[in-house]
């Protein structure tokens, strides 16, 4: 095999050091929770291969232990991982050649992989560089999980309250997401939806709350579109958001 | 305890749905790009989903018995404070969780 001028394996290792520092300890926490939930240690790597979507993996432990119906699990997956739909818009998949390579690249398109792909200079985005970057990310996560699960098996008892790591994780992700939008109503709307769902459907709280929030966002979007219509401030020639999205929905 | 069959079925369900969410948009990029509603959702969904998940993870905390959610509230506030202060996800999670574990196993046991 010819050696490329910049060795993609070593370059990818360098690309992912920072992410690894975060992913390994999180993987350890995940492995601990798997064992804490009463599952055998080897479910930790299986989860990380089958699911491979950080926050959803943590969530899935609770869902399967509660024997949640598959349809509800599918719906929760759509809602929690919905953001991934938009990664396709700017992930450099065109630089990845070969059917198997492209399939893996799409399968392993996590938040971290998406973010890191943009850190690779465009001229260095080769199949090997991007794939190694994604393999490294998944390896950190899988190895961390095995480490945590092994630790859980060895420890005489896991201190109670470790599950709070999940709450803390979502709090951190919520704050980071808020930093992007800087929008106050959306988290408040979501909080209201969650509390309503907790009152009316405690058993299906997760899915009900997310559907309520989706509905609330849809209403908010409609109102914004109508306002823009009324104000007649649209620059001429710009596509009407109302009709554009109708067309997309029916496409 | 869930059976191996159920666990594998659940994992496969999540695998298929997640892969579809990640892969299908590459096939139908143009309508997505054109849809202002989709970009609106992309912008405002994540923060709300995370808030819902926070509440979901705390849904079994009793406000009428025991410590009435006191250790959860303290650990939650500290996690938020540390994250606003240092902006380091790992640090915030470790500090918040360690404090919570400490509270429920010692002072508020």
């Amino acid at each position: 095999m010819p050696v490329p001028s910049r060795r993609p394996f070593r370059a990818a290792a360098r690309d992912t050091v920072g992410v690894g520092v975060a992913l390994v300890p999180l993987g350890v926490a995940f492995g601990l929770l798997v064992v804490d939930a009463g599952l055998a240690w080897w479910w930790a790597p299986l989860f990380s291969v089958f699911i491979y979507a950080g926050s959803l993996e943590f969530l899935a432990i609770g869902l399967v232990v509660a024997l949640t119906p598959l349809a509800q699990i599918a719906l929760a997956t759509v809602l929690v991982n919905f953001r991934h739909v938009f990664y396709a818009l700017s992930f450099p998949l065109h630089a990845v050649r070969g059917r198997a390579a492209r399939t893996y690249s799409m399968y392993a398109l996590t938040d971290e992989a998406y973010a890191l792909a943009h850190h690779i200079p465009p001229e260095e985005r080769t199949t090997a560089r991007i794939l190694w970057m994604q393999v490294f990310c998944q390896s950190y996560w899988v190895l961390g999980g095995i480490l945590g699960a092994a630790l859980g098996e060895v420890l005489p008892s896991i201190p109670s309250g470790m599950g709070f790591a999940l709450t803390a994780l979502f709090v951190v992700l919520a704050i980071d997401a808020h930093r992007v939008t800087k929008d106050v109503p959306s988290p408040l709307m979501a909080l209201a939806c969650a509390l309503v769902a907790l009152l009316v459907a405690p058993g299906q709280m997760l899915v009900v709350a997310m559907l309520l929030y989706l509905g609330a966002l849809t209403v908010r979007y409609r109102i914004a579109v109508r306002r823009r219509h009324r104000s007649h401030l649209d620059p001429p020639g710009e596509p009407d958001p109302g009709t554009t999205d109708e067309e997309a929905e029916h496409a | 305890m869930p059976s191996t069959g159920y666990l594998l079925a659940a994992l496969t369900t999540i695998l298929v749905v997640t892969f579809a969410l990640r892969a299908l948009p590459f096939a139908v990029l143009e309508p997505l790009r054109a849809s202002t509603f989709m970009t609106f959702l992309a912008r405002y969904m994540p923060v709300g989903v995370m808030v819902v998940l926070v509440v979901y993870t705390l849904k079994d905390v009793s406000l009428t018995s025991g410590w009435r959610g006191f250790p959860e509230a303290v650990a939650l506030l500290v996690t938020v404070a540390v994250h606003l202060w240092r902006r380091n996800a790992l640090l915030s999670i470790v500090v918040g969780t360690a404090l919570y574990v400490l509270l429920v196993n010692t002072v508020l046991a």
Side-chain angles (χ1 to χ4, degrees):
Chain A
M1 211 175 102
V3 180
S5 55
R6 288 173 190 262
R7 293 159 195 229
F9 180 84
R10 289 171 66 181
R14 264 200 317 276
D15 292 336
T16 56
V17 170
V19 166
V21 170
L23 281 186
V24 171
L26 264 182
V28 170
F30 172 72
L32 270 175
L33 290 178
V34 165
V35 174
D36 195 32
L39 300 172
W41 69 269
W42 42 266
W43 280 108
L46 272 186
F47 268 58
S48 308
V49 170
F50 269 86
I51 305 182
Y52 194 38
S55 46
L56 188 68
E57 271 176 68
F58 280 98
L59 193 67
I61 302 174
L63 291 177
V64 298
V65 168
L67 295 173
T68 309
L70 295 184
Q72 264 190 54
I73 290 183
L75 193 54
T77 305
V78 171
L79 293 165
V80 173
N81 278 346
F82 188 70
R83 63 187 189 282
H84 291 282
V85 164
F86 303 95
Y87 291 173
L89 296 177
S90 52
F91 184 78
L93 189 71
H94 50 85
V96 179
R97 301 290 159 87
R99 202 185 175 84
R102 287 171 73 91
T103 305
Y104 177 77
S105 198
M106 290 189 283
Y107 149 81
L109 183 43
T110 57
D111 304 298
E112 292 80 14
Y114 174 78
L116 283 179
H118 293 272
H119 282 288
I120 302 174
E123 68 277 10
E124 292 177 31
R125 289 176 192 164
T126 59
T127 304
R129 179 78 173 266
I130 293 174
L131 279 195
W132 276 123
M133 178 271 286
Q134 291 186 282
V135 168
F136 267 108
C137 286
Q138 189 167 20
S139 308
Y140 295 138
W141 181 246
V142 172
L143 291 178
I146 294 175
L147 212 64
L151 199 66
E153 297 259 318
V154 173
L155 287 177
S157 68
I158 298 167
S160 66
M162 280 298 295
F164 191 81
L166 186 51
T167 309
L169 169 71
F170 293 139
V171 166
V172 162
L173 292 176
I175 294 174
D176 289 345
H178 175 72
R179 284 198 178 118
V180 176
T181 63
K182 299 198 166 46
D183 177 61
V184 178
S186 45
L188 293 181
M189 275 158 56
L191 183 63
C193 293
L195 295 179
V196 168
L198 206 53
L199 283 178
V200 300
Q204 278 84 41
M205 179 265 169
L206 186 62
V207 166
V208 171
M210 287 187 186
L211 288 177
L212 281 176
Y213 181 62
L214 189 62
L217 278 187
T218 310
V219 170
R220 196 177 161 196
Y221 175 76
R222 293 284 168 201
I223 292 172
V225 168
R226 198 165 302 167
R227 262 200 205 136
R228 209 183 304 173
H229 266 295
R230 288 222 182 109
S231 62
H232 298 291
L233 286 173
D234 299 14
E238 203 174 79
D240 174 11
T243 49
T244 315
D245 99 82
E246 293 290 339
E247 278 159 18
E249 276 169 15
H250 295 298
Chain B
M1 186 54 22
S3 68
T4 304
Y6 166 79
L7 280 169
L8 287 178
L11 290 190
T12 309
T13 304
I14 299 177
L15 171 72
V16 170
V17 175
T18 304
F19 184 76
L21 286 172
R22 287 174 181 167
L24 284 182
F26 284 106
V28 286
L29 274 181
E30 282 318 307
L32 269 184
R33 233 189 276 268
S35 165
T36 52
F37 181 55
M38 292 296 262
T39 36
F40 180 86
L41 284 187
R43 188 168 167 78
Y44 295 107
M45 275 289 274
V47 64
V49 166
M50 293 309 155
V51 169
V52 167
L53 287 173
V54 171
V55 178
Y56 172 77
T57 59
L58 294 172
K59 75 180 162 59
D60 294 324
V61 176
S62 170
L63 296 178
T64 51
S65 61
W67 287 96
R68 293 161 202 274
F70 179 68
E72 287 79 10
V74 171
L76 197 69
L77 285 177
V78 168
T79 307
V80 171
V82 171
H83 198 58
L84 290 178
W85 177 39
R86 301 307 299 251
R87 297 194 170 205
N88 179 331
L90 189 63
L91 179 77
S92 318
I93 294 168
V94 167
V95 169
T97 309
L99 175 66
Y100 182 76
V101 170
L102 202 70
L103 283 179
V104 295
N105 289 292
T106 57
V107 195
L108 306 179

